[in-house]
Amino acid sequence: MPGLIESYRKYDPATKSSLEVILLYPGVKAIFFHRLGHALYELGIPFFPRAISEFSRFLTGIDIHPGAKIGANLIIDHGMGVVIGETAEIGDHCLIYHGVTLGGVDLSPVKRHPTLGNHVVVGAGAKILGNIRIGHFARIGANSVVIKDVPEHCTATGIPAKIVNSKGVRPGDELKHDQIDEEP
């Protein structure tokens, strides 16, 4: 968890200390409980993984199914209303804002939730639905509804989301949502 704490400190200028992040940030608690529940889920233990997930949701307002696969240093900023489905996969160093849904569109017991690559930023209120892939370093604009793949280094916004920038997102620019301009 040390890398996770440093990631929060890097991307949230409101943090005052690592202790504050550990004790007071709901995303950190949600990830901790998810890691525990996911380990039990992978062992095939019934009931307890979902019980841990429900306790975490009650405590944090963040709903992560224990079957979801989450990489290193996921930041869930604010977190209230985030939903991450059972077959969702999230890469390393991603940033998800409040109200985001990584949801399914199929009732069959198959891969039905999105896959996010590494260094993906998902803006507040965005909905990413179905077995689709969001490429490395992609950005999803706030309140967008994504139902198709988004290539690496691209920015998608709107309902339904469309690629508005394919010129590339450089490391360090991932949070500059005020600079999401459409290409000429």
Side-chain angles (χ1 to χ4, degrees):
M1 282 263 216
L4 178 62
I5 306 311
E6 291 310 311
S7 293
Y8 270 89
R9 303 271 332 257
K10 175 181 176 183
Y11 286 111
D12 188 351
T15 62
K16 304 298 183 228
S17 71
S18 295
L19 184 62
E20 176 186 38
V21 173
I22 292 166
L23 296 177
L24 304 177
Y25 278 56
V28 174
K29 291 181 192 81
I31 295 298
F32 170 79
F33 285 116
H34 173 72
R35 299 272 189 236
L36 178 60
H38 184 71
L40 297 174
Y41 180 89
E42 289 289 303
L43 291 172
I45 296 172
F47 183 75
F48 290 107
R50 286 302 300 261
I52 291 168
S53 172
E54 288 302 305
F55 175 74
S56 178
R57 183 173 59 92
F58 172 78
L59 185 67
T60 66
I62 299 168
D63 185 356
I64 308 174
H65 191 284
K69 296 177 182 171
I70 297 177
N73 300 328
L74 169 64
I75 297 173
I76 303 174
D77 197 4
H78 298 286
M80 186 59 71
V82 167
V83 177
I84 301 173
E86 177 185 24
T87 62
E89 298 178 38
I90 301 173
D92 298 336
H93 309 288
C94 291
L95 173 58
I96 295 177
Y97 287 94
H98 59 280
V100 166
T101 298
L102 303 181
V105 294
D106 191 334
L107 297 177
S108 303
V110 296
K111 171 76 168 114
R112 60 191 184 282
H113 297 92
T115 298
L116 276 57
N118 298 328
H119 301 278
V120 171
V121 177
V122 183
K127 311 303 178 218
I128 304 175
L129 305 172
N131 181 13
I132 61 174
R133 178 155 180 79
I134 310 301
H136 302 306
F137 291 98
R139 291 188 295 189
I140 307 300
N143 293 318
S144 296
V145 177
V146 184
I147 55 175
K148 294 183 180 176
D149 291 351
V150 175
E152 292 184 6
H153 297 277
C154 289
T155 300
T157 64
I159 303 171
K162 295 184 179 3
I163 304 300
V164 296
N165 184 341
S166 61
K167 294 177 183 172
V169 177
R170 295 182 315 269
D173 286 349
E174 55 265 55
L175 298 182
K176 295 181 179 175
H177 284 168
D178 61 330
Q179 297 175 12
I180 296 176
D181 295 324
E182 290 190 36
E183 293 179 337

